[in-house]
Amino acid sequence: MTQRIALVTGGGRGLGKNAALKLASKGIGVILTWNSNEKEAQQVVDEIRQSGGKAAALSLNVGNISTFPQFVKQVQETLQTHWQSDTFDYLLNNAGVGINAPYPAFTEAQFDQLLDIHFKGPFFLTQNLLALINNGGRILNVSTGLSRFALPGYSAYAAMKGAMEVLTRYQAKELGERGITANIIAPGAIETDFSGGNVRDNAQLNAYIASQTALGRVGLPDDIGDAIAALLSDELAWMTAQRIEVSGGMFL
């Protein structure tokens, strides 16, 4: 059986890293992208290879759409070199940054940065990669619990993720004729270095979030990596156009 292949944006750290490792543990080949830290990304590739898997890392700035045609060529070359394939199966649009600022003080530059990375980038990156995604493949976008509940300072970030949730339904509708599903996972607060690592490193914030979560703790990267692997499994091939929140029950 031909090995299935996943492309994971932002796969060198945080949730993307965990997802890449979990997918590789299921026997899936992984192409992960990095923006600012090649060393971290290569360490993930090395870990996958040491476990007997296949992986490669490519540079990508999701916020710079002009680079996408060249990136697609690099993906094609990587598929040929490592898998002797012209296509891949799973696209995980994970790369992102966090900006927390009060709504009255939010700047246009901050807004544009989030727009480019969290909405415009995934919109056109997915479009550029469509020819390389196998019929019957999967698109999994990443949202946030903040699109359901509101916490001060995340107005623009959450709004971009809300836009991605709408886009996901349209992707499911328009790509369904190719058997491609599109879903979106919405993590709650997770202990990673995202947004400065506040959730992980601020004990007071961590305790507050845990107190407002049905399962009584803050999420861990493994919680989301496992969920991503499950959502891309054959058993959920009939699910499409869905927002799946994986937050342990935050703010119910």
Side-chain angles (χ1 to χ4, degrees):
M1 180 179 176
T2 303
Q3 184 182 35
R4 293 179 186 177
I5 305 163
L7 196 162
V8 179
T9 67
R13 59 196 300 183
L15 298 186
K17 172 184 176 179
N18 194 276
L21 294 173
K22 291 297 173 67
L23 290 169
S25 74
K26 304 290 185 184
I28 296 168
V30 177
I31 300 173
L32 58 93
T33 77
W34 57 275
N35 180 29
S36 60
N37 197 321
E38 181 178 8
K39 183 178 179 180
E40 281 185 340
Q42 194 56 50
Q43 287 172 344
V44 180
V45 169
D46 292 343
E47 187 172 344
I48 291 172
R49 290 176 178 173
Q50 287 165 8
S51 298
K54 281 187 180 182
L58 297 175
S59 173
L60 173 67
N61 179 355
V62 174
N64 188 350
I65 294 170
S66 66
T67 66
F68 289 176
Q70 180 59 33
F71 175 72
V72 171
K73 291 180 181 178
Q74 291 177 327
V75 172
Q76 290 174 309
E77 293 168 0
T78 302
L79 288 168
Q80 277 293 332
T81 300
H82 294 275
W83 288 275
Q84 295 74 55
S85 176
D86 296 317
T87 54
F88 65 96
D89 303 278
Y90 311 128
L91 173 60
L92 176 61
N93 282 310
N94 164 79
V97 298
I99 297 177
N100 180 295
Y103 174 58
F106 218 91
T107 68
E108 184 178 3
Q110 289 173 318
F111 184 94
D112 287 345
Q113 182 183 4
L114 289 175
L115 176 66
D116 288 344
I117 293 172
H118 286 287
F119 183 52
K120 190 175 180 182
F123 186 106
F124 287 103
L125 179 64
T126 303
Q127 182 192 77
N128 274 261
L129 289 168
L130 282 177
L132 304 186
I133 299 176
N134 279 320
N135 290 344
R138 314 281 185 83
I139 297 166
L140 183 59
N141 299 316
V142 177
S143 183
T144 173
L146 292 161
S147 65
R148 175 177 63 83
F149 50 80
L151 292 177
Y154 290 105
S155 57
Y157 175 78
M160 304 309 167
K161 293 301 192 180
M164 284 301 300
E165 292 179 10
V166 174
L167 174 62
T168 298
R169 294 196 293 273
Y170 276 84
Q171 289 173 332
K173 184 72 170 179
E174 297 195 35
L175 302 178
E177 64 184 11
R178 290 182 52 192
I180 295 174
T181 67
N183 294 290
I184 189 161
I185 185 171
I190 305 295
E191 292 186 4
T192 69
D193 59 4
F194 186 77
S195 198
N198 273 342
V199 172
R200 179 192 61 205
D201 301 332
N202 184 322
Q204 185 176 358
L205 176 62
N206 192 291
Y208 171 72
I209 292 170
S211 75
Q212 299 298 315
T213 301
L215 294 180
R217 65 170 175 82
V218 172
L220 301 173
D222 277 347
D223 296 321
I224 308 305
D226 283 333
I228 288 170
L231 290 171
L232 293 175
S233 68
D234 290 344
E235 287 78 8
L236 288 177
W238 189 238
M239 181 178 73
T240 195
Q242 299 304 302
R243 175 192 188 272
I244 304 95
E245 183 168 319
V246 185
S247 69
M250 281 185 68
F251 298 118
L252 296 179

